[in-house]
Amino acid sequence: MKFLALAGGVGGAKLALGLSRILPQSDLTIVVNTGDDEEFHGLHVSPDVDTVMYTLAGLSNPETGWGITGETFAALERLNAYGADTWFNLGDKDLATHIRRTDLLRQGKTLSEVTDSLRTALGVKHPIVPMSNDPVRTMLTTDLGELPMQTWFVRHRCEPAVSRIRFVGAEVSQPAPKFTRALQDSDVLVFCPSNPFVSVAPILAIPGVRDAIENFGGTRIAVSPIVGGQAIKGPAAKMMDELDIETSCVGVASQYKNLCDIFVLDDVDADRAGDIEALGMRAAVTNTMMFTDDNKVRLAKYICGLAA
Amino acid sequence: MKFLALAGGVGGAKLALGLSRILPQSDLTIVVNTGDDEEFHGLHVSPDVDTVMYTLAGLSNPETGWGITGETFAALERLNAYGADTWFNLGDKDLATHIRRTDLLRQGKTLSEVTDSLRTALGVKHPIVPMSNDPVRTMLTTDLGELPMQTWFVRHRCEPAVSRIRFVGAEVSQPAPKFTRALQDSDVLVFCPSNPFVSVAPILAIPGVRDAIENFGGTRIAVSPIVGGQAIKGPAAKMMDELDIETSCVGVASQYKNLCDIFVLDDVDADRAGDIEALGMRAAVTNTMMFTDDNKVRLAKYICGLAA
């Protein structure tokens, strides 16, 4: 069975790692949100792509949730001394990724080609595909005005209340060719436990993607990033509250109506299974925590079991 | 008295430091060769400008002659893993300079403006002026074909024999405005002990510069980078040999005919003073070695004495 996993940041990367441990590289395509790509110091940074890539390469820093473990920050300190805005943490090793990416993009390669080149060099065997080779930018309308995703997320620590989210450029973007192929060829589509509004929604905003998923030929499985009314990591719960969506796995599931056959919720939310099923999807209850690599593999196996 | 110093790499930087220690910032303009500027990984590197800037900032690595003392190379190692050509050593702190420079250039600032911003941030009070805001590229015809300066110098360790040197773009370049002003306003012009062929010649190749120096109103003083038939640092002697120019202070002086009033040669070359004077310039003999900062200040004071 061929799997297509849609992923955003840390939660998505964790399940992608689990899936990559049990599926051969030919049977798993990981498509990653690029809505929060941003240029820092003239360098193209793809935060979600890098989180997935570093996680699969065994490089990611589990303590911070971003960047590479054992990083140094010599260049950033110096950039700060030069008067550059350095609120976005870029380690020295991480900078090499952005320098190389930017250089290859300027040479005319697509973001997909660049990502292939980078992940291969890091020893990652499974394809990691940016959702689009075209620029799509997630913009949040907040009480501080409209902010790009990373400005809101990192610079303002998710503090400004969010009232609206849009994906600038999405309407004229195309899915990356390998994403289109995976939508056609895959037997199982997995929504990783990523933020539905800023990790998954940008992917769905690419013309044709929502339709393709609504008409997907195989099994569509979503995993809730909200457990017991809390986001495992990140601002999903706060955002749902501000957007007036129930802060629960049911609120998440409501975002995947018509897009999902099986919705995976955590044991602690077992009592909400009926509400999930009322949305027209099957509820599957399990332990969704992914603290350790074993946890990740266990959840990945559970999902494979559901698909079979 | 106002001084204009023309400098290239390490030797130029040493004398520039000496001059900066005894002259107020209003009385010294240091104009630096940019003929060996190069793009690495999509970043604009200005090796000579940075050598002068780091030297005046007290950051330069005296052991290597390039880069910043106490550097780390985390990003470069990673760039190498990504398959980039990493024969040009770029430390993490140094990379910040090139990232910031490239970013500011892409924002539309001139190389002069960028250099001002960088050196000010590093606490360097004396103006460091790139010879031109326009691209000029020093190209060496060698037995391996035509090579850009840094490719020949670093990648091929100066090994290929040089038969010809040209400065691509020089014919349509203009001197940086502050260089033009210094040529008009200065009382003393100093050719620092830099390579005449690849550090000083690119500066002279900018239209109008040679004329302005030939007609300079004040005193023009050159310091020989060749002592006892050897280059203090770098490939000047080897290059002179290959270009069929006498490998001596006299060979250097011959390059400054009509451009120089006083030629400073080292004590060990005292017996060549007559040959220098035969070229139509006064010979001044002193200890030109600049191992320590005291040495640099002593030579700078000696030059000021000659000018007075």
Side-chain angles (χ1 to χ4, degrees), chain A residues 41 59 75 78 81-82 92 96-97 100 103 106, chain B residues 41 59 75 78 81-82 92 97 100 103 106 121:
Chain A
H41 320 295
L59 296 173
R78 188 55 55 124
Y82 284 142
D92 296 320
T97 303
R100 182 71 174 158
D103 193 23
R106 290 223 171 90
Chain B
H41 319 295
L59 295 173
R78 188 56 52 127
Y82 283 143
D92 296 320
T97 303
R100 182 71 174 158
D103 194 21
R106 290 226 170 87

mmCIF file with all atom_site columns, all heavy atoms in Angstrom, chain A residues 41 59 75 78 81-82 92 96-97 100 103 106, chain B residues 41 59 75 78 81-82 92 97 100 103 106 121:
data_model
loop_
_atom_site.group_PDB
_atom_site.id
_atom_site.type_symbol
_atom_site.label_atom_id
_atom_site.label_alt_id
_atom_site.label_comp_id
_atom_site.label_asym_id
_atom_site.label_entity_id
_atom_site.label_seq_id
_atom_site.pdbx_PDB_ins_code
_atom_site.Cartn_x
_atom_site.Cartn_y
_atom_site.Cartn_z
_atom_site.occupancy
_atom_site.B_iso_or_equiv
_atom_site.pdbx_formal_charge
_atom_site.auth_seq_id
_atom_site.auth_comp_id
_atom_site.auth_asym_id
_atom_site.auth_atom_id
_atom_site.pdbx_PDB_model_num
ATOM 1   N N   . HIS A 1 41  ? 17.269 37.477 6.107  1.00 0.00 ? 41  HIS A N   1
ATOM 2   C CA  . HIS A 1 41  ? 18.609 37.874 5.651  1.00 0.00 ? 41  HIS A CA  1
ATOM 3   C C   . HIS A 1 41  ? 18.822 37.506 4.188  1.00 0.00 ? 41  HIS A C   1
ATOM 4   O O   . HIS A 1 41  ? 19.938 37.175 3.782  1.00 0.00 ? 41  HIS A O   1
ATOM 5   C CB  . HIS A 1 41  ? 19.694 37.214 6.524  1.00 0.00 ? 41  HIS A CB  1
ATOM 6   C CG  . HIS A 1 41  ? 19.357 37.187 7.981  1.00 0.00 ? 41  HIS A CG  1
ATOM 7   N ND1 . HIS A 1 41  ? 19.234 38.340 8.723  1.00 0.00 ? 41  HIS A ND1 1
ATOM 8   C CD2 . HIS A 1 41  ? 19.049 36.162 8.822  1.00 0.00 ? 41  HIS A CD2 1
ATOM 9   C CE1 . HIS A 1 41  ? 18.900 38.021 9.962  1.00 0.00 ? 41  HIS A CE1 1
ATOM 10  N NE2 . HIS A 1 41  ? 18.768 36.712 10.042 1.00 0.00 ? 41  HIS A NE2 1
ATOM 11  N N   . LEU A 1 59  ? 18.444 14.608 13.129 1.00 0.00 ? 59  LEU A N   1
ATOM 12  C CA  . LEU A 1 59  ? 19.198 15.808 13.522 1.00 0.00 ? 59  LEU A CA  1
ATOM 13  C C   . LEU A 1 59  ? 18.410 16.759 14.407 1.00 0.00 ? 59  LEU A C   1
ATOM 14  O O   . LEU A 1 59  ? 18.979 17.671 14.997 1.00 0.00 ? 59  LEU A O   1
ATOM 15  C CB  . LEU A 1 59  ? 19.609 16.601 12.266 1.00 0.00 ? 59  LEU A CB  1
ATOM 16  C CG  . LEU A 1 59  ? 20.568 15.933 11.296 1.00 0.00 ? 59  LEU A CG  1
ATOM 17  C CD1 . LEU A 1 59  ? 20.714 16.797 10.042 1.00 0.00 ? 59  LEU A CD1 1
ATOM 18  C CD2 . LEU A 1 59  ? 21.933 15.737 11.962 1.00 0.00 ? 59  LEU A CD2 1
ATOM 19  N N   . ALA A 1 75  ? 27.100 32.786 13.669 1.00 0.00 ? 75  ALA A N   1
ATOM 20  C CA  . ALA A 1 75  ? 26.725 33.680 12.567 1.00 0.00 ? 75  ALA A CA  1
ATOM 21  C C   . ALA A 1 75  ? 25.579 34.593 12.999 1.00 0.00 ? 75  ALA A C   1
ATOM 22  O O   . ALA A 1 75  ? 25.593 35.788 12.715 1.00 0.00 ? 75  ALA A O   1
ATOM 23  C CB  . ALA A 1 75  ? 26.336 32.869 11.336 1.00 0.00 ? 75  ALA A CB  1
ATOM 24  N N   . ARG A 1 78  ? 26.627 37.471 15.092 1.00 0.00 ? 78  ARG A N   1
ATOM 25  C CA  . ARG A 1 78  ? 27.301 38.471 14.271 1.00 0.00 ? 78  ARG A CA  1
ATOM 26  C C   . ARG A 1 78  ? 26.290 39.245 13.424 1.00 0.00 ? 78  ARG A C   1
ATOM 27  O O   . ARG A 1 78  ? 26.409 40.460 13.266 1.00 0.00 ? 78  ARG A O   1
ATOM 28  C CB  . ARG A 1 78  ? 28.340 37.744 13.408 1.00 0.00 ? 78  ARG A CB  1
ATOM 29  C CG  . ARG A 1 78  ? 29.280 38.617 12.624 1.00 0.00 ? 78  ARG A CG  1
ATOM 30  C CD  . ARG A 1 78  ? 30.018 39.616 13.485 1.00 0.00 ? 78  ARG A CD  1
ATOM 31  N NE  . ARG A 1 78  ? 30.723 39.003 14.580 1.00 0.00 ? 78  ARG A NE  1
ATOM 32  C CZ  . ARG A 1 78  ? 32.011 39.125 14.826 1.00 0.00 ? 78  ARG A CZ  1
ATOM 33  N NH1 . ARG A 1 78  ? 32.751 39.841 14.011 1.00 0.00 ? 78  ARG A NH1 1
ATOM 34  N NH2 . ARG A 1 78  ? 32.554 38.545 15.865 1.00 0.00 ? 78  ARG A NH2 1
ATOM 35  N N   . ALA A 1 81  ? 24.919 41.798 15.519 1.00 0.00 ? 81  ALA A N   1
ATOM 36  C CA  . ALA A 1 81  ? 25.853 42.921 15.660 1.00 0.00 ? 81  ALA A CA  1
ATOM 37  C C   . ALA A 1 81  ? 25.814 43.815 14.424 1.00 0.00 ? 81  ALA A C   1
ATOM 38  O O   . ALA A 1 81  ? 26.026 45.025 14.517 1.00 0.00 ? 81  ALA A O   1
ATOM 39  C CB  . ALA A 1 81  ? 27.268 42.401 15.889 1.00 0.00 ? 81  ALA A CB  1
ATOM 40  N N   . TYR A 1 82  ? 25.545 43.237 13.280 1.00 0.00 ? 82  TYR A N   1
ATOM 41  C CA  . TYR A 1 82  ? 25.453 44.016 12.033 1.00 0.00 ? 82  TYR A CA  1
ATOM 42  C C   . TYR A 1 82  ? 24.126 44.761 11.909 1.00 0.00 ? 82  TYR A C   1
ATOM 43  O O   . TYR A 1 82  ? 23.887 45.420 10.901 1.00 0.00 ? 82  TYR A O   1
ATOM 44  C CB  . TYR A 1 82  ? 25.648 43.112 10.814 1.00 0.00 ? 82  TYR A CB  1
ATOM 45  C CG  . TYR A 1 82  ? 27.088 42.709 10.550 1.00 0.00 ? 82  TYR A CG  1
ATOM 46  C CD1 . TYR A 1 82  ? 27.406 41.430 10.100 1.00 0.00 ? 82  TYR A CD1 1
ATOM 47  C CD2 . TYR A 1 82  ? 28.127 43.613 10.736 1.00 0.00 ? 82  TYR A CD2 1
ATOM 48  C CE1 . TYR A 1 82  ? 28.716 41.060 9.846  1.00 0.00 ? 82  TYR A CE1 1
ATOM 49  C CE2 . TYR A 1 82  ? 29.448 43.247 10.491 1.00 0.00 ? 82  TYR A CE2 1
ATOM 50  C CZ  . TYR A 1 82  ? 29.731 41.974 10.049 1.00 0.00 ? 82  TYR A CZ  1
ATOM 51  O OH  . TYR A 1 82  ? 31.033 41.608 9.796  1.00 0.00 ? 82  TYR A OH  1
ATOM 52  N N   . ASP A 1 92  ? 24.121 27.790 13.098 1.00 0.00 ? 92  ASP A N   1
ATOM 53  C CA  . ASP A 1 92  ? 25.137 27.781 12.035 1.00 0.00 ? 92  ASP A CA  1
ATOM 54  C C   . ASP A 1 92  ? 24.911 26.627 11.041 1.00 0.00 ? 92  ASP A C   1
ATOM 55  O O   . ASP A 1 92  ? 25.011 26.828 9.833  1.00 0.00 ? 92  ASP A O   1
ATOM 56  C CB  . ASP A 1 92  ? 26.532 27.692 12.644 1.00 0.00 ? 92  ASP A CB  1
ATOM 57  C CG  . ASP A 1 92  ? 26.865 28.928 13.480 1.00 0.00 ? 92  ASP A CG  1
ATOM 58  O OD1 . ASP A 1 92  ? 26.504 30.035 13.043 1.00 0.00 ? 92  ASP A OD1 1
ATOM 59  O OD2 . ASP A 1 92  ? 27.457 28.783 14.558 1.00 0.00 ? 92  ASP A OD2 1
ATOM 60  N N   . ALA A 1 96  ? 23.362 26.769 6.888  1.00 0.00 ? 96  ALA A N   1
ATOM 61  C CA  . ALA A 1 96  ? 23.898 26.134 5.678  1.00 0.00 ? 96  ALA A CA  1
ATOM 62  C C   . ALA A 1 96  ? 22.759 25.614 4.806  1.00 0.00 ? 96  ALA A C   1
ATOM 63  O O   . ALA A 1 96  ? 22.811 25.704 3.572  1.00 0.00 ? 96  ALA A O   1
ATOM 64  C CB  . ALA A 1 96  ? 24.853 25.001 6.048  1.00 0.00 ? 96  ALA A CB  1
ATOM 65  N N   . THR A 1 97  ? 21.714 25.084 5.438  1.00 0.00 ? 97  THR A N   1
ATOM 66  C CA  . THR A 1 97  ? 20.552 24.602 4.695  1.00 0.00 ? 97  THR A CA  1
ATOM 67  C C   . THR A 1 97  ? 19.926 25.740 3.898  1.00 0.00 ? 97  THR A C   1
ATOM 68  O O   . THR A 1 97  ? 19.624 25.584 2.706  1.00 0.00 ? 97  THR A O   1
ATOM 69  C CB  . THR A 1 97  ? 19.505 24.026 5.665  1.00 0.00 ? 97  THR A CB  1
ATOM 70  O OG1 . THR A 1 97  ? 20.115 22.980 6.443  1.00 0.00 ? 97  THR A OG1 1
ATOM 71  C CG2 . THR A 1 97  ? 18.298 23.473 4.919  1.00 0.00 ? 97  THR A CG2 1
ATOM 72  N N   . ARG A 1 100 ? 22.270 27.029 1.081  1.00 0.00 ? 100 ARG A N   1
ATOM 73  C CA  . ARG A 1 100 ? 22.300 26.099 -0.049 1.00 0.00 ? 100 ARG A CA  1
ATOM 74  C C   . ARG A 1 100 ? 20.981 26.146 -0.812 1.00 0.00 ? 100 ARG A C   1
ATOM 75  O O   . ARG A 1 100 ? 20.952 26.174 -2.043 1.00 0.00 ? 100 ARG A O   1
ATOM 76  C CB  . ARG A 1 100 ? 22.592 24.695 0.463  1.00 0.00 ? 100 ARG A CB  1
ATOM 77  C CG  . ARG A 1 100 ? 22.702 23.639 -0.613 1.00 0.00 ? 100 ARG A CG  1
ATOM 78  C CD  . ARG A 1 100 ? 23.955 23.771 -1.443 1.00 0.00 ? 100 ARG A CD  1
ATOM 79  N NE  . ARG A 1 100 ? 24.111 22.660 -2.368 1.00 0.00 ? 100 ARG A NE  1
ATOM 80  C CZ  . ARG A 1 100 ? 24.843 22.706 -3.471 1.00 0.00 ? 100 ARG A CZ  1
ATOM 81  N NH1 . ARG A 1 100 ? 25.515 23.797 -3.782 1.00 0.00 ? 100 ARG A NH1 1
ATOM 82  N NH2 . ARG A 1 100 ? 24.939 21.661 -4.253 1.00 0.00 ? 100 ARG A NH2 1
ATOM 83  N N   . ASP A 1 103 ? 20.729 29.354 -2.812 1.00 0.00 ? 103 ASP A N   1
ATOM 84  C CA  . ASP A 1 103 ? 21.655 29.318 -3.944 1.00 0.00 ? 103 ASP A CA  1
ATOM 85  C C   . ASP A 1 103 ? 21.086 28.457 -5.070 1.00 0.00 ? 103 ASP A C   1
ATOM 86  O O   . ASP A 1 103 ? 21.084 28.862 -6.236 1.00 0.00 ? 103 ASP A O   1
ATOM 87  C CB  . ASP A 1 103 ? 23.004 28.774 -3.451 1.00 0.00 ? 103 ASP A CB  1
ATOM 88  C CG  . ASP A 1 103 ? 24.127 28.977 -4.461 1.00 0.00 ? 103 ASP A CG  1
ATOM 89  O OD1 . ASP A 1 103 ? 24.005 29.887 -5.317 1.00 0.00 ? 103 ASP A OD1 1
ATOM 90  O OD2 . ASP A 1 103 ? 25.122 28.248 -4.394 1.00 0.00 ? 103 ASP A OD2 1
ATOM 91  N N   . ARG A 1 106 ? 18.105 30.128 -6.738 1.00 0.00 ? 106 ARG A N   1
ATOM 92  C CA  . ARG A 1 106 ? 18.529 31.220 -7.629 1.00 0.00 ? 106 ARG A CA  1
ATOM 93  C C   . ARG A 1 106 ? 19.135 30.669 -8.906 1.00 0.00 ? 106 ARG A C   1
ATOM 94  O O   . ARG A 1 106 ? 19.144 31.338 -9.938 1.00 0.00 ? 106 ARG A O   1
ATOM 95  C CB  . ARG A 1 106 ? 19.533 32.136 -6.918 1.00 0.00 ? 106 ARG A CB  1
ATOM 96  C CG  . ARG A 1 106 ? 18.870 32.950 -5.823 1.00 0.00 ? 106 ARG A CG  1
ATOM 97  C CD  . ARG A 1 106 ? 19.309 34.412 -5.799 1.00 0.00 ? 106 ARG A CD  1
ATOM 98  N NE  . ARG A 1 106 ? 18.462 35.153 -4.859 1.00 0.00 ? 106 ARG A NE  1
ATOM 99  C CZ  . ARG A 1 106 ? 18.735 35.305 -3.561 1.00 0.00 ? 106 ARG A CZ  1
ATOM 100 N NH1 . ARG A 1 106 ? 19.844 34.796 -3.038 1.00 0.00 ? 106 ARG A NH1 1
ATOM 101 N NH2 . ARG A 1 106 ? 17.915 35.983 -2.787 1.00 0.00 ? 106 ARG A NH2 1
ATOM 102 N N   . HIS B 1 41  ? 28.340 30.333 -2.881 1.00 0.00 ? 41  HIS B N   1
ATOM 103 C CA  . HIS B 1 41  ? 27.042 29.901 -2.360 1.00 0.00 ? 41  HIS B CA  1
ATOM 104 C C   . HIS B 1 41  ? 25.992 31.003 -2.498 1.00 0.00 ? 41  HIS B C   1
ATOM 105 O O   . HIS B 1 41  ? 25.097 31.124 -1.659 1.00 0.00 ? 41  HIS B O   1
ATOM 106 C CB  . HIS B 1 41  ? 27.160 29.472 -0.891 1.00 0.00 ? 41  HIS B CB  1
ATOM 107 C CG  . HIS B 1 41  ? 28.401 28.681 -0.603 1.00 0.00 ? 41  HIS B CG  1
ATOM 108 N ND1 . HIS B 1 41  ? 28.618 27.440 -1.156 1.00 0.00 ? 41  HIS B ND1 1
ATOM 109 C CD2 . HIS B 1 41  ? 29.515 28.961 0.131  1.00 0.00 ? 41  HIS B CD2 1
ATOM 110 C CE1 . HIS B 1 41  ? 29.803 26.989 -0.754 1.00 0.00 ? 41  HIS B CE1 1
ATOM 111 N NE2 . HIS B 1 41  ? 30.366 27.888 0.019  1.00 0.00 ? 41  HIS B NE2 1
ATOM 112 N N   . LEU B 1 59  ? 39.832 41.792 14.673 1.00 0.00 ? 59  LEU B N   1
ATOM 113 C CA  . LEU B 1 59  ? 39.236 40.458 14.595 1.00 0.00 ? 59  LEU B CA  1
ATOM 114 C C   . LEU B 1 59  ? 40.051 39.482 13.764 1.00 0.00 ? 59  LEU B C   1
ATOM 115 O O   . LEU B 1 59  ? 39.803 38.279 13.802 1.00 0.00 ? 59  LEU B O   1
ATOM 116 C CB  . LEU B 1 59  ? 37.843 40.549 13.942 1.00 0.00 ? 59  LEU B CB  1
ATOM 117 C CG  . LEU B 1 59  ? 36.762 41.317 14.690 1.00 0.00 ? 59  LEU B CG  1
ATOM 118 C CD1 . LEU B 1 59  ? 35.519 41.452 13.813 1.00 0.00 ? 59  LEU B CD1 1
ATOM 119 C CD2 . LEU B 1 59  ? 36.419 40.610 15.995 1.00 0.00 ? 59  LEU B CD2 1
ATOM 120 N N   . ALA B 1 75  ? 28.803 25.752 9.550  1.00 0.00 ? 75  ALA B N   1
ATOM 121 C CA  . ALA B 1 75  ? 27.998 25.927 8.339  1.00 0.00 ? 75  ALA B CA  1
ATOM 122 C C   . ALA B 1 75  ? 28.737 25.376 7.123  1.00 0.00 ? 75  ALA B C   1
ATOM 123 O O   . ALA B 1 75  ? 28.142 24.701 6.284  1.00 0.00 ? 75  ALA B O   1
ATOM 124 C CB  . ALA B 1 75  ? 27.652 27.408 8.130  1.00 0.00 ? 75  ALA B CB  1
ATOM 125 N N   . ARG B 1 78  ? 28.587 21.695 6.798  1.00 0.00 ? 78  ARG B N   1
ATOM 126 C CA  . ARG B 1 78  ? 27.262 21.285 6.363  1.00 0.00 ? 78  ARG B CA  1
ATOM 127 C C   . ARG B 1 78  ? 27.074 21.594 4.869  1.00 0.00 ? 78  ARG B C   1
ATOM 128 O O   . ARG B 1 78  ? 26.513 20.789 4.131  1.00 0.00 ? 78  ARG B O   1
ATOM 129 C CB  . ARG B 1 78  ? 26.219 22.005 7.229  1.00 0.00 ? 78  ARG B CB  1
ATOM 130 C CG  . ARG B 1 78  ? 24.793 21.571 7.042  1.00 0.00 ? 78  ARG B CG  1
ATOM 131 C CD  . ARG B 1 78  ? 24.580 20.069 7.249  1.00 0.00 ? 78  ARG B CD  1
ATOM 132 N NE  . ARG B 1 78  ? 25.121 19.616 8.501  1.00 0.00 ? 78  ARG B NE  1
ATOM 133 C CZ  . ARG B 1 78  ? 24.444 18.938 9.396  1.00 0.00 ? 78  ARG B CZ  1
ATOM 134 N NH1 . ARG B 1 78  ? 23.179 18.629 9.182  1.00 0.00 ? 78  ARG B NH1 1
ATOM 135 N NH2 . ARG B 1 78  ? 25.021 18.526 10.506 1.00 0.00 ? 78  ARG B NH2 1
ATOM 136 N N   . ALA B 1 81  ? 28.603 18.900 3.063  1.00 0.00 ? 81  ALA B N   1
ATOM 137 C CA  . ALA B 1 81  ? 27.740 17.711 3.059  1.00 0.00 ? 81  ALA B CA  1
ATOM 138 C C   . ALA B 1 81  ? 26.618 17.848 2.027  1.00 0.00 ? 81  ALA B C   1
ATOM 139 O O   . ALA B 1 81  ? 26.170 16.864 1.449  1.00 0.00 ? 81  ALA B O   1
ATOM 140 C CB  . ALA B 1 81  ? 27.156 17.480 4.452  1.00 0.00 ? 81  ALA B CB  1
ATOM 141 N N   . TYR B 1 82  ? 26.173 19.067 1.798  1.00 0.00 ? 82  TYR B N   1
ATOM 142 C CA  . TYR B 1 82  ? 25.113 19.319 0.816  1.00 0.00 ? 82  TYR B CA  1
ATOM 143 C C   . TYR B 1 82  ? 25.634 19.300 -0.616 1.00 0.00 ? 82  TYR B C   1
ATOM 144 O O   . TYR B 1 82  ? 24.879 19.546 -1.552 1.00 0.00 ? 82  TYR B O   1
ATOM 145 C CB  . TYR B 1 82  ? 24.433 20.669 1.086  1.00 0.00 ? 82  TYR B CB  1
ATOM 146 C CG  . TYR B 1 82  ? 23.452 20.647 2.245  1.00 0.00 ? 82  TYR B CG  1
ATOM 147 C CD1 . TYR B 1 82  ? 23.337 21.740 3.101  1.00 0.00 ? 82  TYR B CD1 1
ATOM 148 C CD2 . TYR B 1 82  ? 22.629 19.546 2.474  1.00 0.00 ? 82  TYR B CD2 1
ATOM 149 C CE1 . TYR B 1 82  ? 22.434 21.738 4.157  1.00 0.00 ? 82  TYR B CE1 1
ATOM 150 C CE2 . TYR B 1 82  ? 21.730 19.543 3.534  1.00 0.00 ? 82  TYR B CE2 1
ATOM 151 C CZ  . TYR B 1 82  ? 21.637 20.635 4.365  1.00 0.00 ? 82  TYR B CZ  1
ATOM 152 O OH  . TYR B 1 82  ? 20.739 20.626 5.406  1.00 0.00 ? 82  TYR B OH  1
ATOM 153 N N   . ASP B 1 92  ? 31.914 30.629 10.398 1.00 0.00 ? 92  ASP B N   1
ATOM 154 C CA  . ASP B 1 92  ? 30.529 30.976 10.730 1.00 0.00 ? 92  ASP B CA  1
ATOM 155 C C   . ASP B 1 92  ? 30.355 32.485 10.941 1.00 0.00 ? 92  ASP B C   1
ATOM 156 O O   . ASP B 1 92  ? 29.388 33.072 10.462 1.00 0.00 ? 92  ASP B O   1
ATOM 157 C CB  . ASP B 1 92  ? 30.078 30.209 11.977 1.00 0.00 ? 92  ASP B CB  1
ATOM 158 C CG  . ASP B 1 92  ? 30.053 28.701 11.728 1.00 0.00 ? 92  ASP B CG  1
ATOM 159 O OD1 . ASP B 1 92  ? 29.630 28.293 10.635 1.00 0.00 ? 92  ASP B OD1 1
ATOM 160 O OD2 . ASP B 1 92  ? 30.469 27.950 12.626 1.00 0.00 ? 92  ASP B OD2 1
ATOM 161 N N   . THR B 1 97  ? 29.006 38.124 7.715  1.00 0.00 ? 97  THR B N   1
ATOM 162 C CA  . THR B 1 97  ? 29.390 39.313 6.934  1.00 0.00 ? 97  THR B CA  1
ATOM 163 C C   . THR B 1 97  ? 28.863 39.201 5.503  1.00 0.00 ? 97  THR B C   1
ATOM 164 O O   . THR B 1 97  ? 28.282 40.141 4.959  1.00 0.00 ? 97  THR B O   1
ATOM 165 C CB  . THR B 1 97  ? 30.928 39.447 6.905  1.00 0.00 ? 97  THR B CB  1
ATOM 166 O OG1 . THR B 1 97  ? 31.413 39.511 8.246  1.00 0.00 ? 97  THR B OG1 1
ATOM 167 C CG2 . THR B 1 97  ? 31.357 40.695 6.133  1.00 0.00 ? 97  THR B CG2 1
ATOM 168 N N   . ARG B 1 100 ? 24.980 39.281 5.330  1.00 0.00 ? 100 ARG B N   1
ATOM 169 C CA  . ARG B 1 100 ? 24.475 40.641 5.532  1.00 0.00 ? 100 ARG B CA  1
ATOM 170 C C   . ARG B 1 100 ? 24.786 41.516 4.315  1.00 0.00 ? 100 ARG B C   1
ATOM 171 O O   . ARG B 1 100 ? 23.928 42.265 3.845  1.00 0.00 ? 100 ARG B O   1
ATOM 172 C CB  . ARG B 1 100 ? 25.106 41.221 6.799  1.00 0.00 ? 100 ARG B CB  1
ATOM 173 C CG  . ARG B 1 100 ? 24.631 42.616 7.158  1.00 0.00 ? 100 ARG B CG  1
ATOM 174 C CD  . ARG B 1 100 ? 23.209 42.632 7.657  1.00 0.00 ? 100 ARG B CD  1
ATOM 175 N NE  . ARG B 1 100 ? 22.806 43.947 8.129  1.00 0.00 ? 100 ARG B NE  1
ATOM 176 C CZ  . ARG B 1 100 ? 21.543 44.359 8.217  1.00 0.00 ? 100 ARG B CZ  1
ATOM 177 N NH1 . ARG B 1 100 ? 20.557 43.550 7.887  1.00 0.00 ? 100 ARG B NH1 1
ATOM 178 N NH2 . ARG B 1 100 ? 21.256 45.556 8.656  1.00 0.00 ? 100 ARG B NH2 1
ATOM 179 N N   . ASP B 1 103 ? 22.520 40.551 1.445  1.00 0.00 ? 103 ASP B N   1
ATOM 180 C CA  . ASP B 1 103 ? 21.147 40.996 1.716  1.00 0.00 ? 103 ASP B CA  1
ATOM 181 C C   . ASP B 1 103 ? 21.011 42.498 1.455  1.00 0.00 ? 103 ASP B C   1
ATOM 182 O O   . ASP B 1 103 ? 20.061 42.937 0.786  1.00 0.00 ? 103 ASP B O   1
ATOM 183 C CB  . ASP B 1 103 ? 20.801 40.651 3.175  1.00 0.00 ? 103 ASP B CB  1
ATOM 184 C CG  . ASP B 1 103 ? 19.312 40.753 3.460  1.00 0.00 ? 103 ASP B CG  1
ATOM 185 O OD1 . ASP B 1 103 ? 18.509 40.702 2.506  1.00 0.00 ? 103 ASP B OD1 1
ATOM 186 O OD2 . ASP B 1 103 ? 18.944 40.883 4.639  1.00 0.00 ? 103 ASP B OD2 1
ATOM 187 N N   . ARG B 1 106 ? 21.218 43.291 -2.253 1.00 0.00 ? 106 ARG B N   1
ATOM 188 C CA  . ARG B 1 106 ? 19.969 42.938 -2.949 1.00 0.00 ? 106 ARG B CA  1
ATOM 189 C C   . ARG B 1 106 ? 18.867 43.938 -2.629 1.00 0.00 ? 106 ARG B C   1
ATOM 190 O O   . ARG B 1 106 ? 17.934 44.109 -3.403 1.00 0.00 ? 106 ARG B O   1
ATOM 191 C CB  . ARG B 1 106 ? 19.526 41.521 -2.548 1.00 0.00 ? 106 ARG B CB  1
ATOM 192 C CG  . ARG B 1 106 ? 20.449 40.458 -3.127 1.00 0.00 ? 106 ARG B CG  1
ATOM 193 C CD  . ARG B 1 106 ? 19.702 39.282 -3.759 1.00 0.00 ? 106 ARG B CD  1
ATOM 194 N NE  . ARG B 1 106 ? 20.645 38.436 -4.481 1.00 0.00 ? 106 ARG B NE  1
ATOM 195 C CZ  . ARG B 1 106 ? 21.334 37.435 -3.928 1.00 0.00 ? 106 ARG B CZ  1
ATOM 196 N NH1 . ARG B 1 106 ? 21.143 37.125 -2.659 1.00 0.00 ? 106 ARG B NH1 1
ATOM 197 N NH2 . ARG B 1 106 ? 22.186 36.729 -4.652 1.00 0.00 ? 106 ARG B NH2 1
ATOM 198 N N   . ALA B 1 121 ? 29.464 48.819 12.365 1.00 0.00 ? 121 ALA B N   1
ATOM 199 C CA  . ALA B 1 121 ? 28.970 47.847 13.350 1.00 0.00 ? 121 ALA B CA  1
ATOM 200 C C   . ALA B 1 121 ? 30.123 47.149 14.065 1.00 0.00 ? 121 ALA B C   1
ATOM 201 O O   . ALA B 1 121 ? 29.999 46.762 15.223 1.00 0.00 ? 121 ALA B O   1
ATOM 202 C CB  . ALA B 1 121 ? 28.075 46.814 12.663 1.00 0.00 ? 121 ALA B CB  1
#
